[in-house]
Amino acid sequence: MRLGVKVRVSLRHLSSRPFQTISAVFVVALSSALAVMLFLLAQGLRDGLIRAVEPFDLIVGAKGSPYQIVLNTVLLQDVPVGNLKWSDYVSLREDPRVDISVPLAFGDNYRGCPVVGTAEDILRIRGGQPVQQWIDVAEGRWFDKEFEAVLGAQAALESGLLIGDTFRTSHGVVLGEEHDVSFEVVGVAARAFGPYDRAIFVSIESVWESHDHDDDDGEEEKDEGEVTAILVRPATYPDAYSLAVSFQHDTERQLVFPAQTAIRLFSLMGSGERFLSIIVYSVAACSLLTTLLVLYWSNRDRRRERALLYALGAPRGTLVTISWIEGTFTLAIGALIGELLGRAGVYAAFHLLGDATAIDLSAPMTIHEAVIPIIMLAAGSFGGFLIALSERTGDSASLKIR
Amino acid sequence: MNAFVTPFLEIKELRHDYRQPDGSYAQALRLDHLLAARGEALAVTGPSGSGKTTLLHILAALIRPTCGEVLFDGHDLFAAGHSAARWRSLSVGYVFQEMNLLPDFSVLENLLLAAEISSVPKSDAGERADSLLHRLDLWDHRYSRPSELSLGEQQRTAVARAVIHSPAVVLADEPTASLDAENAGVVMDLLMGLCAESQTLLIAATHDEAMKKRFERVVNLRRPVPAAVGPELVSSREVI
């Protein structure tokens, strides 16, 4: 019998029992989708975080949790640990071991976009691929006086502000009480492929001034002359470690290697990921078992049909092939739908997460994501073959009328 | 007896035993000798359990006998190197009592699938199927599933399927047992007519007295007895 005819017979068998077939495809698709989603989410978050951390060689911040400093400074999430004095920045700027130091002041926002008080030196920081200059101006110009603002690429989209527009910032990381002073948009930054795409850059003096202005009204505490964190690019690698040693016994400040902190974060995430993996593998194994049971019972149901084909002269190999195609086709369709569902789920999750954090989340197609669907397909196909083989006999007893 | 000048089928000392659950063997069939020629129509009769179906299964090489020889054109059906599947697909047409057709396939597909298994070229199979469907009055039902057909139509389809590849022998196991007298007559007329036209040997197991009369020879099998005493061959009209 030609292969095309065997395939047609198999497909006809599958289509004649739509509930069984769809159930089997559904369980395989669901478990494959879960596996693909887990893999891609973990991979995408890891890669996105690595890209976000790349411009930050060292961060100097107030004593506290290094994770919180990374969350706050790199990802622009959570609240700052505390503030540093302006003199801390000045001393680092003049330290020969430091190539570039950039003051960063957080704590205000405009419609949820964080306001970052900083200095022009931020334009000298270089990011990784695909960005060479981390923060660059795409439209308009960089601010050169107080109360001028440059919008991050995402912030420009989210806020709807255009060059020449004015706006008022609010205190806090989300909404909050408006400051009295207005900022004018003078430029829009190019995409930085990270959380700083949601930032609104202003001079650090503007931050102080806006708080001062409020303070004049007696509504806010005075925090002039303070910075939240200092982004440091050391002159050389040994200088980075020398700086770390300098901060080792400091009781008010700390120096953080964001990459190391991120790695520790991954390792914490890894434990959860492993636990989730066990669940996903278990689900995949259960669905595989269910599918094989469906195939087994389907094969048993077809004993008489197989016996008829055998009596008509179909060799046993043909009967095994027809059963095997049925099983493999069911699994392959399930695995394919699972892969597509998994990818769709991940893109939806990335879209939501990306909008909220501006982490550049992407999941390039890799063979690793398909490991579970492929294992399921291979194991199921082999299992289906064994079932087909065990039921291969178009035994003559099945031809008798009972 | 001119038909035996060139015997197409020869059976010698055929015996088949079944293994029982307690490990002992029960004799299911014993046939000492049988000759048949191409184009003959032979009825095999006997009570239930006398080995009628077993004999047909052996002739279709679906089961291997415990001992004895089955020769077609002088060649042992169970000789080493002889492919049973090839024998069935090319040389045998089989008609069962009922539930004979593949339920998920239409009448036409049932015929074409049988032709495909028998390696009939696609164009020839189409022509042959069309001709049989017209002749057996099934043309209007060619796209119907077996469940949409009457029992008589199902058996006519089974007859068409059994002869679509022009086999050398057609084996029919109680082909009319599920049919009323009128339909049984139609099916047997068609089956015997088609076999006679193509010089196909027809062997039909039946216990229907009316059917037996249609055959030129009847082989009567007796229910096997315990121990070594097997069914004896009794021919009611012809002595073999």
Side-chain angles (χ1 to χ4, degrees):
Chain A
M1 197 190 286
R2 287 166 295 166
L3 181 63
V5 178
K6 289 177 196 164
V7 171
R8 268 169 42 209
V9 171
S10 302
L11 295 185
R12 183 63 64 84
H13 283 169
L14 289 173
S15 64
S16 68
R17 286 169 168 76
F19 182 74
Q20 272 183 13
T21 306
I22 290 170
S23 302
V25 167
F26 179 74
V27 290
V28 175
L30 197 64
S31 56
S32 298
L34 280 173
V36 168
M37 275 184 76
L38 178 79
F39 177 82
L40 289 181
L41 275 173
Q43 185 74 31
L45 281 171
R46 202 174 286 136
D47 292 350
L49 200 52
I50 287 169
R51 273 194 294 274
V53 162
E54 263 172 356
F56 296 83
D57 288 326
L58 304 170
I59 301 170
V60 175
K63 205 75 175 175
S65 162
Y67 295 115
Q68 200 171 346
I69 288 184
V70 170
L71 272 175
N72 182 235
T73 311
V74 177
L75 303 179
L76 298 176
Q77 299 291 313
D78 212 349
V79 290
V81 183
N83 285 333
L84 301 172
K85 291 177 187 150
W86 178 250
S87 57
D88 293 329
Y89 163 69
V90 173
S91 58
L92 274 169
R93 189 179 60 192
E94 287 165 4
D95 193 318
R97 295 171 295 177
V98 173
D99 177 24
I100 307 167
S101 60
V102 180
L104 299 167
F106 311 117
D108 289 342
N109 79 89
Y110 174 70
R111 292 186 181 176
C113 294
V115 172
V116 178
T118 187
E120 199 169 356
D121 276 342
I122 200 169
L123 299 177
R124 293 173 58 207
I125 299 290
R126 302 182 80 78
Q129 293 292 343
V131 185
Q132 285 305 308
Q133 184 174 331
W134 177 39
I135 306 294
D136 197 4
V137 178
E139 280 180 69
R141 60 175 175 79
W142 190 249
F143 59 79
D144 57 14
K145 60 179 188 238
E146 288 174 19
F147 302 111
E148 286 184 341
V150 175
L151 306 173
Q154 183 71 24
L157 291 173
E158 283 183 30
S159 66
L161 292 170
L162 300 169
I163 293 171
D165 288 350
T166 58
F167 65 95
R168 285 185 179 191
T169 58
S170 304
H171 193 64
V173 289
V174 279
L175 302 176
E177 196 176 329
E178 264 191 7
H179 292 298
D180 292 338
V181 292
S182 293
F183 286 84
E184 183 192 352
V185 179
V186 295
V188 176
R191 277 207 69 184
F193 299 97
Y196 277 72
D197 281 329
R198 292 192 72 236
I200 296 175
F201 302 97
V202 300
S203 70
I204 201 158
E205 292 83 0
S206 304
V207 176
W208 298 338
E209 284 288 326
S210 60
H211 285 210
D212 267 356
H213 207 275
D214 294 339
D215 194 49
D216 292 343
D217 297 340
E219 288 174 5
E220 297 252 343
E221 283 180 23
K222 182 175 178 171
D223 54 0
E224 184 185 0
E226 290 186 332
V227 295
T228 312
I230 304 161
L231 194 172
V232 176
R233 171 145 290 183
T236 63
Y237 282 116
D239 288 335
Y241 291 98
S242 169
L243 282 165
V245 170
S246 308
F247 281 91
Q248 224 161 29
H249 301 293
D250 198 316
T251 53
E252 291 176 3
R253 291 161 289 264
Q254 66 174 324
L255 183 140
V256 175
F257 285 85
Q260 283 182 0
T261 310
I263 287 167
R264 281 201 295 273
L265 200 62
F266 293 153
S267 127
L268 284 173
M269 278 166 58
S271 311
E273 225 178 279
R274 272 191 294 279
F275 180 68
L276 276 177
S277 297
I278 290 169
I279 293 174
V280 167
Y281 286 132
S282 307
V283 170
C286 286
S287 68
L288 184 60
L289 198 64
T290 310
T291 308
L292 290 178
L293 277 172
V294 169
L295 289 177
Y296 176 74
W297 287 112
S298 169
N299 261 276
R300 282 187 72 87
D301 283 352
R302 295 192 183 285
R303 267 189 176 165
R304 185 172 171 83
E305 285 163 60
R306 229 183 355 265
L308 269 173
L309 286 170
Y310 184 64
L312 292 175
R316 285 177 173 163
T318 297
L319 303 179
V320 171
T321 307
I322 289 171
S323 294
W324 177 79
I325 290 171
E326 281 177 43
T328 304
F329 184 81
T330 306
L331 288 160
I333 292 292
L336 183 67
I337 292 174
E339 168 72 26
L340 296 175
L341 276 179
R343 278 222 152 246
V346 164
Y347 282 127
F350 282 178
H351 187 66
L352 292 172
L353 281 172
D355 279 356
T357 64
I359 295 179
D360 182 38
L361 296 167
S362 59
M365 188 79 86
T366 66
I367 189 68
H368 302 293
E369 75 187 76
V371 163
I372 287 194
I374 288 172
I375 288 175
M376 283 188 73
L377 182 57
S381 180
F382 182 66
F385 175 72
L386 292 182
I387 288 170
L389 209 59
S390 71
E391 289 285 329
R392 68 180 184 175
T393 320
D395 70 283
S396 56
S398 301
L399 293 168
K400 284 186 176 175
I401 305 303
R402 289 165 181 154
Chain B
M1 297 296 287
N2 289 339
F4 292 107
V5 172
T6 313
F8 172 56
L9 165 67
E10 183 171 12
I11 291 173
K12 294 180 188 171
E13 301 296 335
L14 189 65
R15 191 176 133 179
H16 191 67
D17 299 336
Y18 283 114
R19 193 187 171 106
Q20 299 190 114
D22 64 2
S24 63
Y25 284 87
Q27 203 173 69
L29 171 71
R30 184 173 167 188
L31 186 52
D32 292 333
H33 195 237
L34 177 67
L35 291 173
R38 287 180 188 273
E40 257 201 296
L42 198 67
V44 179
T45 65
S48 288
S50 59
K52 300 189 292 292
T53 300
T54 303
L55 175 62
L56 297 187
H57 283 179
I58 289 172
L59 294 176
L62 284 168
I63 53 175
R64 177 181 283 273
T66 308
C67 60
E69 276 184 308
V70 177
L71 306 169
F72 278 98
D73 268 341
H75 300 290
D76 187 352
L77 187 58
F78 298 100
H82 191 277
S83 163
R86 191 170 164 75
W87 162 251
R88 276 194 300 280
S89 68
L90 297 182
S91 306
V92 179
Y94 214 121
V95 182
F96 304 94
Q97 182 179 334
E98 60 180 19
M99 291 173 66
N100 224 312
L101 305 171
L102 295 165
D104 302 327
F105 295 83
S106 69
V107 167
L108 180 60
E109 287 169 332
N110 262 279
L111 266 57
L112 293 179
L113 192 57
E116 171 72 26
I117 290 170
S118 304
S119 305
V120 177
K122 211 173 169 183
S123 57
D124 291 355
E127 275 179 33
R128 181 100 172 119
D130 287 354
S131 156
L132 284 167
L133 288 170
H134 280 296
R135 183 157 175 194
L136 275 66
D137 198 20
L138 289 165
W139 182 253
D140 293 340
H141 299 291
R142 62 191 184 283
Y143 299 125
S144 303
R145 294 280 175 100
S147 58
E148 297 162 347
L149 302 178
S150 68
L151 281 175
E153 287 162 346
Q154 286 185 36
Q155 281 306 75
R156 296 210 301 276
T157 307
V159 168
R161 187 185 62 189
V163 299
I164 193 165
H165 57 301
S166 307
V169 56
V170 168
L171 305 169
D173 192 358
E174 308 275 10
T176 58
S178 313
L179 306 179
D180 56 45
E182 189 185 341
N183 269 309
V186 171
V187 167
M188 282 315 299
D189 285 346
L190 288 167
L191 187 57
M192 295 181 89
L194 287 165
C195 288
E197 280 170 25
S198 55
Q199 282 294 293
T200 299
L201 169 62
L202 170 65
I203 301 177
T206 182
H207 60 266
D208 184 337
E209 289 301 326
M211 285 303 119
K212 285 182 206 167
K213 289 177 186 159
R214 293 170 169 268
F215 288 84
E216 56 191 81
R217 286 206 298 150
V218 176
V219 175
N220 192 15
L221 298 175
R222 280 189 189 159
R223 192 195 301 271
V225 292
V229 184
E232 291 172 14
L233 176 68
V234 179
S235 177
S236 61
R237 240 172 288 162
E238 294 284 338
V239 177
I240 298 167

